[in-house]
Amino acid sequence: MGPDGAGADGAGAAKAGRKCARQGSVLVFPDGDHGQPCCRWSSLHGARLGGDGGVGHPLAQLGGWWCFHRHGCAAVCRAKPRRRPPLPARVEHAIRPDDIHCSATRLVCLENTHNLAGGRVLSRSQTQDVRDLCDAHGLLLHIDGARLANAAVALDTTMAELAAPAHSATLCLSKGLGAPCGSLLAGSTDFIARALRLRKMLGGAMRQTGVVAAAGVYALEHNVRRMKQDHRLCARLREGFLSIPGMPKPAEADTNILLFDLPPSHDPERYTQHLEEHHGILISSARYGRQLRAVTHLHLEEADIDAVLDATEAFLAK
């Protein structure tokens, strides 16, 4: 329960970290938006905090780092991210040389599961292929594992197994795991020491680490395997949409995120407003075009899926 800025990171944080990844040390953050810039700084600036300018750039998928965190990457880390699909050949093509005319590539980031791809998963072998490429070019590999538990459940493996090829990894405790708040950053002892220094610079000397870690430990011990239910409900929602006349075919769903569209004659914004105001159902935009995003979680049951399908069918019938 002591302040982890004074070295009292707490047994709870260590226990939570051991459950998510085989890494040397773990640091607790209020959320991933706080943890990600600390991770990037620690990776890109190496052993010297406040290192030289032009530290290079990370390569990331079209995910959280690119869409939601890139301004923080530039402002805090003095780095410019570039996006590429997680295919070794495409990643290798995007690696910049150590040339005086441009910033060199230093870090590759993979998101697992991938939010904007509809919760799609990366296997251990896919991640290892990218790690092998990173080793060949002297790069670091980070896994943005906000929903790593969902990937582990979908692949019937462990988070530690999926994170093993990476130099560092993050895990959100408050998404599919259902904790009130919290995010973990795992990496080597030196890596976490650098991240801790930046977290302090950004206003993060946490005296509540034990509380956050306790909720995270409970979630990791009780809410991981039950995620299969979330995935089943997501699959059922997809099947239900397929049975509604005129409804476009939704995207494939590996885990608990479903991307879908409405018929061209119906406005997505009016649809989401209607479901929220009249049925108490929250469905969000998928950020691009007309596509929508539904996420199943531990507070939902089969009756809730039926309610979404009934409300959608009634809306489209108007």
Side-chain angles (χ1 to χ4, degrees), residues 33-284:
D33 284 349
H34 192 182
Q36 295 293 5
C38 294
C39 167
R40 289 189 291 266
W41 180 285
S42 188
S43 297
L44 294 171
H45 285 265
R48 196 159 73 90
L49 190 65
D52 297 334
V55 295
H57 65 267
L59 294 176
Q61 300 156 278
L62 181 61
W65 275 33
W66 174 258
C67 297
F68 311 124
H69 302 153
R70 56 180 164 171
H71 299 301
C73 188
V76 177
C77 304
R78 301 198 300 275
K80 178 183 177 182
R82 301 178 68 196
R83 62 183 178 92
R84 284 294 184 273
L87 305 174
R90 296 293 299 274
V91 172
E92 187 167 30
H93 179 73
I95 295 173
R96 286 179 171 176
D98 191 2
D99 188 288
I100 62 171
H101 299 93
C102 60
S103 57
T105 303
R106 298 284 182 86
L107 173 67
V108 175
C109 172
L110 301 178
E111 185 177 356
N112 197 14
T113 69
H114 196 287
N115 178 18
L116 295 182
R120 305 307 297 269
V121 302
L122 291 175
S123 67
R124 162 67 189 264
S125 62
Q126 289 173 305
T127 304
Q128 185 63 55
D129 288 343
V130 177
R131 171 59 188 266
D132 292 342
L133 177 65
C134 289
D135 289 345
H137 291 271
L139 308 178
L140 297 175
L141 175 63
H142 173 74
I143 293 179
D144 179 353
R147 300 170 182 84
L148 189 63
N150 289 95
V153 170
L155 295 173
D156 195 24
T157 185
T158 65
M159 288 180 278
E161 180 69 13
L162 293 180
H167 295 92
S168 60
T170 50
L171 172 69
C172 182
L173 300 172
S174 63
K175 288 190 168 72
L177 287 169
C181 66
S183 183
L184 303 177
L185 172 62
S188 70
T189 301
D190 290 342
F191 171 87
I192 293 299
R194 294 193 297 271
L196 177 61
R197 292 180 64 87
L198 183 62
R199 198 192 67 179
K200 175 62 176 177
M201 290 172 60
L202 297 178
M206 290 187 66
R207 294 167 179 81
Q208 305 84 1
T209 299
V211 177
V212 175
V217 169
Y218 180 90
L220 288 165
E221 290 180 344
H222 296 86
N223 293 347
V224 175
R225 288 301 153 191
R226 60 144 306 279
M227 284 180 171
K228 291 181 179 180
Q229 172 69 1
D230 299 340
H231 300 174
R232 284 195 293 266
L233 291 180
C234 188
R236 180 175 178 184
L237 180 62
R238 183 178 186 276
E239 292 170 2
F241 280 153
L242 287 171
S243 67
I244 296 178
M247 190 78 172
K249 184 179 180 180
E252 297 293 331
D254 289 346
T255 53
N256 67 324
I257 300 177
L258 180 66
L259 303 181
F260 67 98
D261 294 282
L262 297 179
S265 57
H266 290 77
D267 180 33
E269 186 174 352
R270 287 187 57 199
Y271 168 74
T272 56
Q273 290 176 350
H274 175 81
L275 262 61
E276 181 176 2
E277 294 174 3
H278 296 279
H279 303 279
I281 299 169
L282 298 178
I283 290 179
S284 65

